[in-house]
Amino acid sequence: DIQMTQSPSSLSTSVGDRVTITCRASQYIYSYLNWYQQKPGKAPKLLIYAASTLQSGVPSRFTGSGSGTDFTLTISSLQPEDFATYFCQQHYITPWTFGQGTKVDIK
Amino acid sequence: QVQLVQSGAEVKKPGASVKVSCKASGYNFTDSFLHWVRQAPGQGLEWMGWISPGTGKRKYSRKFQDRVTIIADTSASTADMELSSLRSEDTALYYCVTGGGDHWGQGTLVTVSS
């Protein structure tokens, strides 16, 4: 199975800050990489697909980059509604595998 | 709009089986794979398997291979996931998800407790 290593596992930050989350795959996955946002009690919400394509309706402050094995999710200016947990996920081959998550909370 | 609506919460005893249903609407049900993913309390996301409703083909995670069955009813646009021989570690939220990861059901909490 492909291992997805996400970092950091948590970060405390402030409104307006720039946030960067990284995800590394244990083998080459081209651009078969999704990023999700999850809030407590809710299903994950797709933010970015194909590593860098913004899902419809997602604010442009979210950007994804990378290909191959190394990927990044950036939030350019954190808003109050962005405090949540973020996951990466590869869908190059099954089983789908997910990063362990990054919890973004208020400093 | 695309919607996946799942069946309600379940409480089961160890050793029992549970069936979770997922009703799809707003798209051609036979055109997209449907996956099942679970999330234990406070934990990460774990893929269980997929089904192609149009062909009936399915694939399961090796971890659940012996205990999980996924079926689809194209006339009703529903997919069911059945997990057998339940143990306490199976307590989790179970989600159905469209093939691109772009639509998720609301989740079904399955609690396994004696």
Side-chain angles (χ1 to χ4, degrees):
Chain A
D1 298 357
I2 297 175
Q3 305 301 314
M4 304 301 292
T5 303
Q6 193 175 331
S7 62
S9 56
S10 65
L11 63 97
S12 294
T13 186
S14 302
V15 172
D17 284 356
R18 180 183 182 89
V19 169
T20 299
I21 299 168
T22 64
C23 184
R24 173 165 287 177
S26 62
Q27 65 186 75
Y28 202 89
I29 60 169
Y30 297 88
S31 294
Y32 292 92
L33 191 284
N34 290 343
W35 287 100
Y36 297 92
Q37 176 193 69
Q38 188 177 32
K39 295 183 178 179
K42 298 291 189 181
K45 172 188 173 184
L46 181 65
L47 298 176
I48 302 281
Y49 63 94
S52 60
T53 303
L54 199 65
Q55 174 71 347
S56 175
V58 174
S60 59
R61 62 181 179 272
F62 291 92
T63 58
S65 63
S67 67
T69 60
D70 292 298
F71 303 88
T72 300
L73 173 69
T74 301
I75 311 171
S76 59
S77 177
L78 202 71
Q79 297 302 299
E81 60 268 29
D82 300 336
F83 291 98
T85 300
Y86 295 84
F87 294 95
C88 61
Q89 175 233 338
Q90 68 80 20
H91 58 101
Y92 175 55
I93 55 172
T94 53
W96 284 0
T97 46
F98 297 82
Q100 73 273 29
T102 296
K103 184 175 182 180
V104 177
D105 61 21
I106 302 171
K107 186 183 293 182
Chain B
Q1 75 281 22
V2 174
Q3 274 196 301
L4 300 174
V5 179
Q6 298 182 219
S7 50
E10 302 266 10
V11 179
K12 296 292 183 181
K13 293 193 182 303
S17 297
V18 68
K19 181 183 286 187
V20 180
S21 296
C22 173
K23 181 165 179 62
S25 60
Y27 72 101
N28 190 336
F29 183 63
T30 57
D31 281 355
S32 178
F33 286 18
L34 202 71
H35 297 250
W36 288 88
V37 173
R38 78 177 189 179
Q39 186 172 36
Q43 302 299 309
L45 297 155
E46 185 173 34
W47 180 82
M48 300 181 70
W50 60 253
I51 188 165
S52 169
T55 64
K57 185 174 180 181
R58 67 204 82 179
K59 184 172 183 180
Y60 302 136
S61 165
R62 280 191 304 274
K63 175 175 178 177
F64 302 103
Q65 180 101 27
D66 296 335
R67 298 197 294 137
V68 71
T69 303
I70 301 173
I71 61 172
D73 179 346
T74 55
S75 66
S77 295
T78 59
D80 294 341
M81 186 281 300
E82 184 169 20
L83 188 63
S84 62
S85 303
L86 290 169
R87 33 217 190 223
S88 58
E89 311 89 88
D90 294 318
T91 294
L93 268 168
Y94 290 77
Y95 295 102
C96 56
V97 188
T98 54
D102 47 346
H103 295 95
W104 293 60
Q106 83 275 20
T108 297
L109 179 62
V110 175
T111 303
V112 183
S113 173
S114 54

